[in-house]
Amino acid sequence: MRKSLLLLLLSMLSWTAFAQETETTADDMTIPEDIDVDSMLDSFSSLDSVNQFGGKLGYNFLGGEHYATLRLTPEINLGKWGVGLDVPLSVNLQNGKVRTEEYVRGVGALRMVRYLRYGRKKRDPIHVKVGDMTGSYIGFGLLMDNYSNATSFERRKVGITWDLLFDKRFGIEGLYNDLNLTSMNLLAVRPYVKPFGKTLIPIVRSIEIGGTYIMDRDQTTQEGLDLQQNLLIRNGGITAYGADFGATLLDLGFIRVTASAQYGNINKTVTTSDLTAYYQEEFRAENAAKPIDEQLTGEELEAEVLAISAGEEEGFQTGDGYAFGLQARASILFKLLTMQAKLERVKYNAHFIPNFFDIMYELNKDQRLLTLMNTAPTFGIYGDLSATILGSIRVNGGLMMPDNITESTPAMVKAGVDVVNVLDKIDLHAQYIKGGLTDWSDAFTLDNNSLAYIRASYKAYKFLTVGVDYQWTWQKGAEGAFAPKHTVMPFFGFNVPLIGKKDKEVEED
């Protein structure tokens, strides 16, 4: 059975969008133009047990240059072992030169190995994965969910994640995002216990209790950003911890209902002096980006820099939050119809964002931290519902609705549809998210709070697919301001199943 697990780029991967939009607009965000969208999408649509040789031939616009791009993405899975490759080749259409930046920054040529995996998380007692961490989560996801260390082609890192269960009762899961020994980077560890794991009672043996610790002392530079250093992160780092409890309440084979309770705390002391240094460095970067005849220099520049100072009220230390909820999965009429639903009651105090360590985190850690500064308390309900018919049509939607919808505590809505193997040789995928909502009439109005993705593809031959991608996002222009960006990218893709053992598909826990 072929699954459609396509998630929206960036913020769609978690519902932090509603919280992040509390005081942060598009003008505050710096998003690299080389975001590795394909890696994010491919990692959610692939199966652990299927061997395939895929690729895409298309056009891209990077750094003001036009490129013809070819990406080979074979995936080989034999038993519990799996390896994924990603070999990019970009040729400049103007001068014919091959783009080498993809092999210089980050992990260099090692980026061609997307991941190496043994076992499957929450399915096998031993799971270890090295390489691309896209889609990773810890525990039930309140602090870390849909995390990625591969936010762009050039800045892909080699990380490691694991989930080990001993004697069916004692486990430990974790993640280290970058095997770069120059500094202590993002580390997440969650020991957990299944106290009744050896019993024969299905519901009782599913009870799981865990505690999470996350820290980041990143001292490395963030190449490709206006500010080259993690100014706020490197000064003392950031620490988060949490506790969770989960259990399966009902398991009748065709329907399964689980419940979880989670607590999370994000602790980062950001002082006035830290913010002052950040604002001063930001001013220097903005000045350097101006035309030479408009730049400040010498004493004039230093005087302007020294005049910049953060207010005493701008610093912050810690924030925490709670989430209590139910999750349900149902399979009806021999899987002709499968449904998934989530309903959670959330209480987030000031300076706390759920799923804080997500795909947005690595884009710019300092700006991610700054979103905590103005995040107001939020109390509300989050719901998510999806249905899949015949394994070919998937419709999904989600809603974050604060008890009191205001500009500081806006709502969020998301929706999507995937149609696969229904129309003759044609597949369709679409995802949409809208944050910062204070008026429901704007829920489906495209603006700088919107993210949208549409893909239409046609299987011209057995292993050859042609199609077009459309993306709505925003990008920083020459004047420094952000504006909506429409991207239309035609492509050729190919996917060749490889000979090898195919494991029996197992539904996720």
Side-chain angles (χ1 to χ4, degrees):
M1 179 183 71
R2 185 175 179 180
K3 291 184 177 179
S4 298
L5 298 178
L6 186 64
L7 302 179
L8 183 61
L9 350 145
L10 307 179
S11 307
M12 186 62 178
L13 302 177
S14 73
W15 36 281
T16 60
F18 84 93
Q20 184 174 331
E21 295 293 341
T22 53
E23 294 291 341
T24 304
T25 64
D27 291 332
D28 299 317
M29 295 302 297
T30 301
I31 301 177
E33 63 179 10
D34 59 344
I35 285 176
D36 199 349
V37 174
D38 287 313
S39 175
M40 299 172 190
L41 295 172
D42 291 344
S43 66
F44 296 120
S45 60
S46 60
L47 296 176
D48 287 336
S49 58
V50 176
N51 296 322
Q52 58 184 3
F53 186 87
K56 177 186 289 187
L57 175 65
Y59 161 84
N60 212 341
F61 184 74
L62 297 172
E65 302 288 341
H66 302 272
Y67 290 89
T69 61
L70 172 65
R71 296 186 68 193
L72 303 177
T73 56
E75 295 186 29
I76 303 172
N77 295 280
L78 298 174
K80 294 184 179 182
W81 290 93
V83 60
L85 303 179
D86 186 351
V87 184
L89 178 64
S90 298
V91 179
N92 192 304
L93 295 177
Q94 295 169 296
N95 55 31
K97 293 183 178 180
V98 176
R99 190 170 189 261
T100 59
E101 287 88 340
E102 296 166 326
Y103 302 97
V104 175
R105 302 179 193 169
V107 296
L110 285 177
R111 76 171 304 281
M112 291 187 292
V113 181
R114 202 172 99 201
Y115 67 83
L116 177 65
R117 171 188 60 78
Y118 178 81
R120 287 160 291 191
K121 188 169 184 177
K122 301 305 180 186
R123 300 181 186 178
D124 299 313
I126 298 177
H127 165 74
V128 180
K129 182 179 180 182
V130 179
D132 184 348
M133 300 288 100
T134 298
S136 295
Y137 63 93
I138 295 295
F140 294 93
L142 181 62
L143 290 173
M144 177 181 287
D145 195 14
N146 289 310
Y147 169 80
S148 177
N149 64 345
T151 55
S152 70
F153 296 125
E154 283 79 16
R155 289 192 288 151
R156 174 174 290 176
K157 302 174 182 178
V158 173
I160 182 170
T161 183
W162 65 90
D163 189 0
L164 310 175
L165 181 62
F166 304 98
D167 197 31
K168 298 183 180 181
R169 293 178 295 174
F170 307 101
I172 183 169
E173 62 177 307
L175 177 148
Y176 188 60
N177 79 320
D178 188 4
L179 299 178
N180 180 347
L181 301 181
T182 59
S183 72
M184 176 59 72
N185 298 313
L186 179 64
L187 171 68
V189 178
R190 177 182 177 262
Y192 63 92
V193 60
K194 305 179 78 170
F196 308 105
K198 281 193 168 184
T199 68
L200 300 179
I201 306 175
I203 296 177
V204 175
R205 71 183 181 189
S206 72
I207 294 175
E208 184 174 312
I209 304 170
T212 300
Y213 175 79
I214 302 176
M215 56 85 74
D216 193 355
R217 303 290 186 267
D218 193 351
Q219 302 292 307
T220 62
T221 61
Q222 290 285 284
E223 296 186 72
L225 300 180
D226 291 337
L227 301 181
Q228 296 298 309
Q229 302 286 339
N230 296 314
L231 295 176
L232 300 180
I233 285 288
R234 67 181 179 179
N235 186 11
I238 185 172
T239 301
Y241 61 87
D244 56 65
F245 171 89
T248 301
L249 304 181
L250 178 66
D251 194 345
L252 300 178
F254 69 94
I255 185 171
R256 179 178 169 192
V257 179
T258 60
S260 65
Q262 303 177 76
Y263 168 79
N265 181 290
I266 300 175
N267 190 311
K268 168 60 184 172
T269 300
V270 176
T271 64
T272 301
S273 60
D274 292 335
L275 290 172
T276 296
Y278 180 84
Y279 294 151
Q280 290 176 344
E281 185 67 19
E282 187 177 45
F283 180 82
R284 291 181 186 275
E286 292 174 351
N287 180 70
K290 294 180 179 180
I292 295 179
D293 58 342
E294 298 180 14
Q295 292 181 10
L296 300 178
T297 58
E299 294 182 359
E300 185 180 14
L301 173 60
E302 292 305 315
E304 291 289 338
V305 169
L306 293 176
I308 298 174
S309 178
E312 294 183 3
E313 73 285 354
E314 292 190 72
F316 62 93
Q317 293 188 9
T318 186
D320 61 1
Y322 308 81
F324 308 89
L326 297 172
Q327 302 83 36
R329 295 171 182 261
S331 180
I332 303 171
L333 296 175
F334 304 100
K335 297 187 178 181
L336 294 179
L337 173 65
T338 60
M339 300 184 67
Q340 297 184 29
K342 176 188 290 186
L343 184 64
E344 292 182 328
R345 175 66 183 179
V346 301
K347 179 182 179 182
Y348 304 136
N349 296 315
H351 311 313
F352 181 82
I353 296 177
N355 320 126
F356 179 77
F357 301 94
D358 68 351
I359 201 166
M360 299 294 290
Y361 180 73
E362 291 288 341
L363 291 179
N364 190 324
K365 295 181 180 181
D366 284 342
Q367 288 187 352
R368 187 68 169 152
L369 270 177
L370 290 177
T371 61
L372 291 173
M373 187 167 59
N374 296 314
T375 301
T378 300
F379 311 98
I381 294 175
Y382 174 75
D384 188 280
L385 177 65
S386 67
T388 304
I389 304 172
L390 295 173
S392 296
I393 301 176
R394 180 175 183 264
V395 180
N396 66 86
L399 177 68
M400 176 62 213
M401 186 167 61
D403 294 340
N404 183 25
I405 299 176
T406 66
E407 290 187 359
S408 61
T409 57
M412 181 275 291
V413 64
K414 64 180 181 180
V417 62
D418 302 295
V419 180
V420 181
N421 296 330
V422 175
L423 304 174
D424 186 24
K425 300 183 179 180
I426 296 176
D427 291 346
L428 301 173
H429 303 277
Q431 295 288 345
Y432 171 81
I433 188 171
K434 179 63 175 286
L437 276 174
T438 57
D439 186 342
W440 290 111
S441 64
D442 295 330
F444 294 96
T445 301
L446 288 173
D447 57 22
N448 61 358
N449 290 321
S450 304
L451 289 171
Y453 174 84
I454 299 174
R455 167 174 287 183
S457 61
Y458 174 75
K459 184 175 287 187
Y461 296 99
K462 187 174 181 179
F463 303 127
L464 177 64
T465 300
V466 297
V468 62
D469 288 344
Y470 169 79
Q471 299 173 19
W472 168 284
T473 183
W474 59 86
Q475 183 174 336
K476 195 172 185 179
E479 301 298 326
F482 282 78
K485 178 187 177 183
H486 309 266
T487 301
V488 178
M489 180 179 175
F491 67 87
F492 295 89
F494 53 91
N495 195 306
V496 181
L498 300 177
I499 298 176
K501 180 180 177 180
K502 180 177 178 180
D503 297 336
K504 180 180 178 181
E505 184 178 341
V506 182
E507 290 294 321
E508 292 184 6
D509 288 342

